[in-house]
Amino acid sequence: MIPYAENNRTDQNIQTELENFMAETENNEIERQEPAVAEIVGKAIFSQKYDEYAFFYQSAIRQLTTKLQIVSADFSRNNDRSPIESITSRVKSLESIAAKMEHKGLELNLDNMISNINDTAGIRVICPFLKDVYEVADMLLKQKDVELIKIKDYIKNPKKSGYRSLHLIVKTSVLFSDGIREIPVEIQIRTIAQNFFASTDHQIRYKRQSKITPEIHKKMLECAELMANADEQMQKLAEKVEI
Ligand code: 0O2
């Protein structure tokens, strides 16, 4: 997914370097512990490659964030209000990627990360109104060097948890010193109310599934519905005052 024009350090020669290093150490138990060593070497290669790739993902985030800021500023010039409340971003940590790959039953290597983990680079855009979510998505997708790979509309089809958000997986072309790379980025676009639910849900439940009783789940869904109703009412009010 990320074509690379030239790379003078291949997986093969990093692996050879690591194996040589380990073979030279005094306590040479490589042969007796081959599977464990292979695993350690594999993880070391992955971790080293991750550091290199994190730079590419971070660069794609910077490029898309600038595009979002520009379309938002342009919208503000013409409409006297901003369709974007805030933009945040992150490159997923190595630990978090490893946990997600393990959860998906994937071997820990770079190819699997690139082809299966869509949200290594993530941008979150928070909008005041429901309509803004779709307008921001449209404005972004009109850009020539932004290609839509996948759309998940959890606003029209909320998750069982009550989670609502528009997720776009896009590919953006970024120019580096050795050529252009196509980098995938997940963009989550949602309203302030949807973000309130997502953030609190993330802390209460998302990472603590085991403690969630049916009663808590029901209460959380009620909160999600409250937020959704508030969004709909705010959207209607916005239309009444013609914004
Ligand atoms: P974190 O810690 O937020 O990064 P896929 O690989 O596309 O098949 P994936 O990646 O699970 O499946 O895609 P999905 O469902 O679009 O979810 C991606 C992200 O959306 C999650 O990332 C969360 O950020 C958010 N999300 C999804 N469902 C929920 C939910 O029920 N509650 C909350 N609060 N957030 C949710 P991560 O990596 O799982 O977690």
Side-chain angles (χ1 to χ4, degrees):
M1 216 173 211
I2 307 179
Y4 201 4
E6 209 183 341
N7 183 357
N8 52 15
R9 277 192 108 200
T10 63
D11 278 3
Q12 187 55 52
N13 61 34
I14 293 170
Q15 174 150 0
T16 310
E17 280 170 34
L18 281 161
E19 281 172 351
N20 289 344
F21 170 76
M22 290 170 125
E24 281 163 14
T25 56
E26 267 182 55
N27 185 18
N28 189 347
E29 293 189 338
I30 288 177
E31 278 181 21
R32 274 188 285 128
Q33 296 181 359
E34 219 172 287
V37 171
E39 201 181 313
I40 291 166
V41 170
K43 281 187 180 157
I45 291 169
F46 180 62
S47 156
Q48 194 163 2
K49 281 275 172 185
Y50 167 84
D51 286 344
E52 185 187 351
Y53 271 70
F55 171 73
F56 303 137
Y57 285 112
Q58 189 58 54
S59 304
I61 285 174
R62 284 167 71 176
Q63 186 164 292
L64 286 177
T65 300
T66 302
K67 285 182 188 298
L68 285 161
Q69 285 164 340
I70 291 170
V71 293
S72 175
D74 191 31
F75 181 102
S76 305
R77 267 180 345 126
N78 298 322
N79 299 278
D80 223 17
R81 72 172 190 90
S82 177
I84 295 181
E85 185 79 12
S86 65
I87 304 174
T88 52
S89 61
R90 59 101 182 95
V91 175
K92 213 173 178 68
S93 69
L94 184 61
E95 293 71 27
S96 188
I97 290 174
K100 197 159 189 173
M101 285 171 74
E102 195 180 325
H103 182 70
K104 286 174 177 253
L106 296 167
E107 196 189 316
L108 207 60
N109 62 48
L110 197 70
D111 283 349
N112 277 344
M113 178 184 96
I114 291 170
S115 359
N116 296 285
I117 306 299
N118 286 323
D119 64 342
T120 301
I123 300 180
R124 188 168 291 151
V125 183
I126 309 302
C127 303
F129 298 104
L130 274 173
K131 208 172 154 202
D132 295 332
V133 169
Y134 294 98
E135 283 191 7
V136 167
D138 275 353
M139 289 189 285
L140 183 70
L141 294 174
K142 276 187 191 144
Q143 311 266 330
K144 275 195 179 137
D145 51 359
V146 178
E147 184 194 338
L148 180 66
I149 304 298
K150 198 169 171 188
I151 185 158
K152 294 192 209 168
D153 191 339
Y154 296 129
I155 298 177
K156 294 206 167 80
N157 304 297
K159 286 201 149 188
K160 280 190 195 134
S161 59
Y163 174 81
R164 288 166 169 83
S165 186
L166 180 68
H167 290 194
L168 308 176
I169 310 289
V170 301
K171 237 176 18 182
T172 186
S173 314
V174 185
L175 177 64
F176 294 98
S177 56
D178 56 3
I180 292 175
R181 288 163 193 270
E182 302 283 332
I183 317 247
V185 179
E186 182 191 75
I187 305 172
Q188 301 182 346
I189 314 177
R190 56 199 188 219
T191 63
I192 299 167
Q194 288 164 351
N195 192 50
F196 169 71
F197 177 80
S199 306
T200 47
D201 173 65
H202 201 277
Q203 296 201 10
I204 293 176
R205 175 176 48 184
Y206 195 50
K207 304 280 173 175
R208 286 182 188 78
Q209 287 294 348
S210 57
K211 291 190 181 159
I212 300 308
T213 62
E215 181 61 15
I216 295 175
H217 178 70
K218 190 167 160 271
K219 291 274 177 208
M220 293 293 293
L221 267 183
E222 283 170 16
C223 288
E225 288 305 316
L226 275 175
M227 295 300 118
N229 286 337
D231 266 337
E232 273 166 34
Q233 287 195 38
M234 284 299 179
Q235 181 60 52
K236 281 184 190 147
L237 294 175
E239 278 159 25
K240 276 205 168 126
V241 297
E242 296 174 353
I243 60 167

